[in-house]
């Protein structure tokens, strides 16, 4: 399952990622960025350009509430716009009045019912009589009779007075849910005096009727008169969303957030929801057209080394005399190519395993060849073909437990938890002493948040093979997740004593220290990991310690230039590392380099392996693109952003 331990998210308890843990290094970075962004939303918008993070839970769907009080006649509508202080005072007074009104209504209803009962009347009739609403005409006997051809005959003062009466009558009609009448009255008010409130109130009527094009038309007219009219922006955004014009809706909700200084939680949640919708729609298109290709060498290496290193099957050793143009010869070439740990090596290995099965005559090695071909198909994102290969491998050679384990990984990524659990059970039946089974089953428990069960399986894996470093590392991370900080730190110190030449120990220990904001020690551990990587794997260096150091410098001292240099170095080593690309995008975003950041976010989406990863990257890309749209369409808001705050520290 995971090429390395499933990383944690510094600064909080785990927000578990249910994607396959082999992609977890990417999840670690995204979660860390996401946590900071969600905690510093206003600052992120200010300096990063609407870098809203899409959350998987708690999304509240925003719809304009147009019927707060049917008796007031002002439900969802506006009169003269007032200051925030005045609106707060009015709201408090309205709440008090509402309670008093409800009490009076209850008492009146009780009296009416008792009187009718004493008179022998039907209580239902009493209710109907008391609830009958007067018509607009009964309420307003002198509604101005306005016609377009005669409007020019009225003085400016007469037009103002007529507009006010028509607007008030329209509000009454709206309160009585007579929306057609309200639309007519607001229309006449507009003839007398074009006013953003009149247009917005008429848009509210069209909103109730679901006439989205009319909502957009009237809300746009209101905004042409008052470009910072939040209610009109929200109504138009709602209409755009209803018509699945998600990018337009996102822009309007974003503008609304900026005007309200990000204090309206409903609008902020709407931005998050729209970001997800836009990203999901684009993500599906990208996945449909995406060429099946291997992810970065860092990713592939992490996945492959999650299985204990074992010698080649007998007869496939590097020194064995085999013709390269035979099936067995191709398997051997594939194994040699894997050992290079480079992009070219992994591509060569994938082709070799394909060729081996094409040539055939594999004898006892057919199940192994299917296992390896299935592995690389899975890494390319071709899960169904990979499942077919691994299933056939288990049928030919059930004792090859690794095929069950890998198939379990795929079932988990596809959301089939029970099938994954069944595969682990079958693997255990074949060889209950295989430590890989317990390590990868622990990964399943870890991803699902079942930390106690995960810890047991990691410990079992260690008992069967104490020399596999990742079982120790992951046990320490799990202890940390469970709140046993002292035990976790002790586990990592023991790892350093016993595996002092393994860079991954220092890298993940550094992440724990970073989570505790022990920046100096964390950076020291990342530096140690980098040096060991250089010495032991000069041609296939893992770039994660470089990226983690960049993030630590950013969080600690906001050293943007040094952090950028580290990401650039990582990209020179591994140009297709989506983690490095995404981190570079975020660093650029924090510096206000919006256009450059957008290119990196889009690149991160291209490099992402699964639809979930693509949506995550595109969410940032769309947020960044919206910032550019705001600058273009609402220049006064873009300048206001700059005055809302400075660069915030990553927490």
């Amino acid at each position: 399952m995971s090429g390395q331990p499933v990383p944690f998210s510094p600064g909080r308890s785990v927000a578990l990622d249910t994607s396959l843990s082999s992609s977890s290094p990417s999840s670690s970075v995204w979660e860390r960025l996401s946590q900071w962004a969600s905690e510093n939303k206003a600052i992120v918008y200010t300096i990063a350009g609407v870098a809203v993070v899409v959350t998987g839970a708690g999304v509240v769907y925003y719809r304009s509430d147009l019927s707060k009080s049917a008796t007031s006649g002002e439900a969802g509508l506006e009169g003269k716009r007032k200051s925030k202080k005045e609106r707060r005072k009015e709201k408090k007074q309205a709440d008090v009045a509402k309670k008093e009104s409800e009490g009076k209504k209850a008492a009146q209803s009780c009296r009416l019912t008792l009187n009718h009962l004493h008179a022998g009347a039907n209580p239902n009739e009493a209710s109907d009589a008391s609830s009958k609403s007067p018509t607009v005409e009964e309420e307003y006997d002198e509604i101005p009779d306005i016609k377009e051809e005669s409007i020019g005959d009225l003085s400016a003062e007469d037009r103002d007075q007529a507009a006010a009466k028509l607007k008030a009558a329209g509000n009454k009609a709206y309160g009585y849910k007579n929306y057609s009448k309200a639309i007519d009255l607001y229309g006449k008010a507009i003839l007398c005096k074009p006013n953003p409130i009149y247009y917005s109130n008429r848009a509210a009527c069209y909103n109730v009727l679901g006439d989205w094009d009319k909502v957009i038309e009237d809300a746009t007219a209101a905004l042409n008169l008052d470009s910072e009219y939040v209610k009109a922006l929200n109504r138009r955004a709602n209409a755009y969303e209803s018509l699945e014009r998600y990018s337009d809706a996102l822009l309007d909700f974003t503008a609304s957030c900026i005007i309200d200084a990000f204090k309206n939680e409903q609008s902020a949640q709407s931005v998050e929801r729209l970001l997800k919708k836009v990203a999901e729609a684009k993500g599906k298109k990208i996945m449909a057209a995406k060429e099946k290709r291997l992810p970065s060498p860092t990713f592939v290496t992490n996945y492959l080394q999650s299985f204990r290193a074992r010698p080649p099957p007998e007869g496939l050793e590097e020194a064995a005399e085999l013709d390269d143009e035979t099936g067995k010869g191709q398997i051997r070439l594939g194994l040699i190519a894997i050992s290079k740990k480079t992009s070219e090596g992994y591509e060569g290995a994938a082709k070799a395993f394909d060729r081996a099965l094409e040539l055939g005559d594999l004898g006892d090695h057919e199940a192994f060849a299917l296992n390896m071909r299935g592995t690389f198909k899975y890494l390319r994102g071709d899960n169904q073909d990979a499942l077919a290969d691994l299933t056939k491998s288990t049928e030919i050679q059930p004792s090859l437990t690794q095929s069950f384990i890998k198939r379990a990984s795929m079932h988990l990524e596809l959301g089939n938890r029970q099938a994954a659990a069944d595969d682990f059970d079958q693997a255990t039946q074949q060889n209950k002493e295989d430590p890989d089974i317990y390590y990868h089953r622990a990964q399943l428990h870890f991803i699902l948040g079942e930390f106690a069960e995960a810890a047991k399986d990691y410990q079992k894996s260690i008992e069967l093979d104490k020399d596999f470093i990742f079982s120790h590392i992951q046990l320490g991370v799990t202890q940390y997740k469970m709140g046993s900080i002292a035990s976790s730190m002790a586990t990592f110190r023991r790892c350093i004593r016993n595996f002092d030449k393994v860079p991954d120990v220092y890298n993940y220990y550094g992440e724990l220290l970073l989570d505790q904001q022990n920046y100096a020690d964390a950076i020291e551990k990342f530096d140690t990991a980098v040096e060991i990587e250089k010495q032991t794997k000069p041609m296939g260096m893992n770039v994660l310690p470089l990226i983690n150091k960049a993030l630590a410098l950013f969080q600690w001292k906001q050293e943007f230039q040094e952090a950028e240099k580290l990401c650039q170095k990582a990209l020179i080593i591994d140009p297709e590392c989506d983690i490095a690309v995404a981190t570079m995008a975020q660093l650029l975003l924090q510096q206000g380099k919006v256009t450059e950041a957008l290119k990196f976010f889009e690149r991160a989406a291209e490099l992402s392996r699964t639809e979930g990863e693509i949506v995550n990257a595109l969410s940032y890309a769309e947020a960044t693109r919206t910032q550019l749209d705001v600058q273009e369409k609402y220049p006064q808001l873009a300048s206001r952003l700059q005055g809302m705050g400075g660069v915030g520290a990553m927490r």
Side-chain angles (χ1 to χ4, degrees):
M1 298 192 38
S2 173
Q4 291 184 335
V6 180
F8 59 95
S9 174
R12 62 172 174 171
S13 57
V14 190
L16 289 173
D17 181 357
T18 55
S19 63
L20 182 67
S21 58
S22 61
S23 60
S24 54
S26 176
S27 301
S28 177
V29 174
W30 279 113
E31 286 180 3
R32 189 176 305 151
L33 298 175
S34 299
Q35 172 67 3
W36 177 79
S38 62
E39 290 180 353
N40 300 270
K41 191 172 294 179
I43 295 176
V44 171
Y45 271 70
T46 302
I47 62 178
V50 205
V52 175
V53 179
V54 177
T55 56
V59 176
V60 177
Y61 283 77
Y62 172 76
R63 290 287 183 272
S64 298
D65 183 2
L66 298 171
S67 56
K68 293 179 181 177
S69 172
T71 58
S72 69
E74 294 287 335
L77 306 177
E78 283 198 39
K80 181 179 178 182
R81 300 184 70 189
K82 302 177 178 62
S83 68
K84 291 183 179 178
K85 185 176 180 181
E86 289 174 323
R87 291 198 297 269
R88 284 196 297 269
K89 184 178 179 181
E90 286 186 357
K91 183 178 185 303
K92 185 175 181 181
Q93 292 173 342
D95 289 341
V96 173
K98 182 179 179 182
K99 290 180 181 179
E100 292 177 352
S101 174
E102 288 173 349
K104 290 178 181 178
K105 285 181 180 179
Q108 182 182 17
S109 175
C110 183
R111 287 196 300 273
L112 286 170
T113 301
L114 289 172
N115 289 339
H116 276 71
L117 285 172
H118 284 302
N122 187 327
N124 291 328
E125 292 175 359
S127 176
D128 291 340
S130 64
S131 64
K132 183 178 180 181
S133 300
T135 65
V136 176
E137 286 74 8
E138 289 172 341
E139 289 281 324
Y140 289 89
D141 295 330
E142 298 183 1
I143 297 176
D145 185 17
I146 298 297
K147 292 183 173 60
E148 187 172 1
E149 57 271 16
S150 61
I151 193 70
D153 298 335
L154 299 177
S155 67
E157 183 179 355
D158 288 340
R159 286 199 298 269
D160 285 351
Q161 291 178 354
K165 288 183 178 181
L166 288 162
K167 177 256 184 185
N171 288 357
K172 284 290 183 181
Y174 185 97
Y176 297 145
K177 299 183 180 181
N178 189 345
Y179 303 118
S180 297
K181 183 67 176 178
I183 288 170
D184 178 64
L185 291 165
Y186 290 134
K188 290 180 178 179
I190 290 168
L191 285 175
C192 294
K193 181 182 179 180
N195 182 296
I197 293 175
Y198 304 164
Y199 279 111
S200 182
N201 284 0
R202 190 167 70 177
C205 297
Y206 287 127
N207 185 83
V208 175
L209 298 174
D211 191 340
W212 308 120
D213 290 328
K214 288 290 187 181
V215 173
I216 293 168
E217 182 181 328
D218 273 354
T220 300
L223 290 165
N224 287 337
L225 296 169
D226 182 355
S227 62
E228 296 189 15
Y229 193 176
V230 170
K231 186 165 284 190
L233 274 168
N234 287 339
R235 283 180 178 146
R236 189 171 70 176
N238 178 62
Y240 280 142
E241 184 174 0
S242 297
L243 292 173
E244 298 185 1
R245 293 172 59 177
Y246 298 135
S247 294
D248 291 327
L250 177 58
L251 178 61
D252 276 358
F253 276 130
T254 299
S256 173
C257 280
I258 296 169
I259 293 168
D260 277 343
F262 313 100
K263 294 177 181 178
N264 186 320
E265 189 61 27
Q266 283 186 323
S267 295
Q269 290 169 342
S270 296
V271 169
E272 294 184 6
R273 184 181 69 254
L274 265 298
L275 278 173
K276 185 176 181 181
K277 283 188 174 182
V278 172
E280 286 178 342
K282 291 189 175 183
K284 290 184 183 300
K285 291 180 180 178
I286 290 175
M287 281 299 293
K290 189 176 179 65
E291 178 188 357
K292 301 294 185 182
R293 55 183 296 181
L294 290 175
S296 72
T298 298
F299 186 103
V300 177
T301 300
N302 289 343
Y303 178 78
L304 294 177
Q305 71 181 14
S306 71
F307 294 90
R308 286 158 173 79
R310 298 180 183 181
E314 186 177 352
L316 299 178
E317 300 86 356
E318 189 170 350
E321 294 184 5
L322 292 170
D323 184 347
D324 287 347
E325 288 306 310
T326 64
K328 294 176 184 177
Q330 286 293 313
I331 296 177
R332 183 181 63 177
L333 287 177
L335 294 174
I336 294 171
I338 286 175
S339 66
K340 297 176 182 178
K341 297 184 178 181
T342 63
S343 180
E344 295 78 9
Y346 290 135
E347 288 290 349
K351 291 177 182 178
F353 295 129
D354 285 342
R355 181 64 175 155
L357 285 157
E358 287 176 9
L359 293 170
D361 194 22
L362 299 172
D364 294 338
H365 302 304
E366 183 179 0
F368 180 76
L370 286 164
N371 175 296
M372 297 309 297
R373 186 174 73 174
T375 298
F376 279 89
K377 283 184 176 181
Y378 161 68
L379 289 168
R380 282 198 182 102
D382 193 354
N383 281 350
Q384 294 305 321
D385 284 350
L387 281 172
D389 275 353
L390 290 169
T391 297
K392 190 172 181 180
S393 175
T394 61
E395 293 168 353
I396 294 172
Q397 188 179 339
S399 61
L400 186 58
T401 54
Q402 194 182 96
S403 296
F404 286 109
I405 296 170
K406 290 178 177 177
R407 191 172 68 176
S409 298
M410 295 175 207
H411 282 312
L412 185 59
E413 184 170 301
L414 294 170
N416 194 340
R417 176 181 175 180
Q418 188 55 53
D422 291 343
D423 273 339
F424 283 121
D425 287 343
Q426 291 184 69
T428 305
Q429 291 171 15
Q430 293 297 323
N431 182 5
K432 64 181 180 180
E433 301 300 314
D434 183 350
D436 276 345
I437 298 172
Y438 302 98
Y439 175 77
H440 287 275
R441 190 171 68 182
Q443 298 289 74
L444 179 147
H445 289 307
F446 187 99
I447 291 170
L448 297 172
E450 300 165 353
F451 298 125
E453 293 301 314
K456 290 179 183 177
D457 273 346
Y458 288 132
Q459 191 62 55
K460 178 66 173 179
S461 177
I462 292 170
E463 291 172 4
L464 293 170
D465 178 11
K466 62 181 178 60
D467 295 328
F468 187 63
I469 180 58
F470 294 117
S471 294
H472 296 274
I473 292 175
Q474 191 62 56
L475 177 61
V477 173
T478 303
Q479 290 168 334
Y480 194 87
K481 293 290 192 183
M482 296 171 71
S484 301
I485 310 300
S487 297
S488 174
M489 296 294 100
T491 296
F492 271 94
R493 287 193 294 271
R494 189 163 55 250
C495 284
I496 288 177
R497 287 197 303 271
N498 297 330
F499 303 94
D500 61 324
K501 301 301 182 185
V502 179
D504 305 276
V505 175
Y506 299 93
N507 181 55
Y508 285 98
Y509 190 21
E511 284 206 11
L512 291 176
L513 295 170
L514 184 58
D515 181 57
Q516 299 171 66
Q517 299 182 10
N518 189 344
Y519 299 113
D521 287 348
I523 289 173
E524 178 189 346
K525 296 297 182 292
F526 296 141
D527 282 337
T528 302
V530 169
E531 288 305 313
I532 297 175
E533 287 281 354
K534 289 179 181 177
Q535 295 169 13
T536 58
K537 296 181 284 184
M539 299 300 294
M541 179 179 170
N542 189 330
V543 299
L544 293 180
L546 289 170
I547 299 169
N548 276 328
K549 182 180 178 181
L551 289 169
L553 289 171
F554 177 29
Q555 291 182 41
W556 187 17
K557 299 179 178 179
Q558 291 78 56
E559 291 186 8
F560 288 105
Q561 290 187 346
E562 186 59 29
E564 276 191 45
K565 288 179 182 178
L566 289 166
C567 285
Q568 288 168 352
K569 188 173 182 179
L571 287 169
I572 291 172
I573 296 169
D574 188 352
E576 297 194 348
C577 180
D578 58 335
I579 313 167
V581 171
T583 305
M584 177 65 87
Q586 188 72 16
L587 291 171
L588 291 168
L589 204 56
Q590 306 314 314
Q591 298 173 75
K593 300 176 181 178
V594 182
T595 304
E596 295 176 60
L598 178 58
K599 293 177 182 177
F600 275 92
F601 280 129
E602 289 176 337
R603 176 63 175 157
E606 291 174 5
L607 294 173
S608 296
R609 179 176 155 273
T610 67
E611 187 172 333
E613 293 168 4
I614 290 173
V615 169
N616 206 356
L618 285 176
S619 296
Y620 279 96
E622 291 307 314
T624 308
R625 196 189 317 280
T626 302
Q627 164 69 358
L628 295 175
D629 289 342
V630 167
Q631 291 176 355
E632 178 184 350
K633 298 181 180 180
Y634 301 98
Q636 77 279 11
L637 298 184
S639 60
R640 188 181 301 178
L641 276 175
Q642 302 305 318
M644 286 186 179
V647 176
M650 201 173 207
R651 295 201 287 215

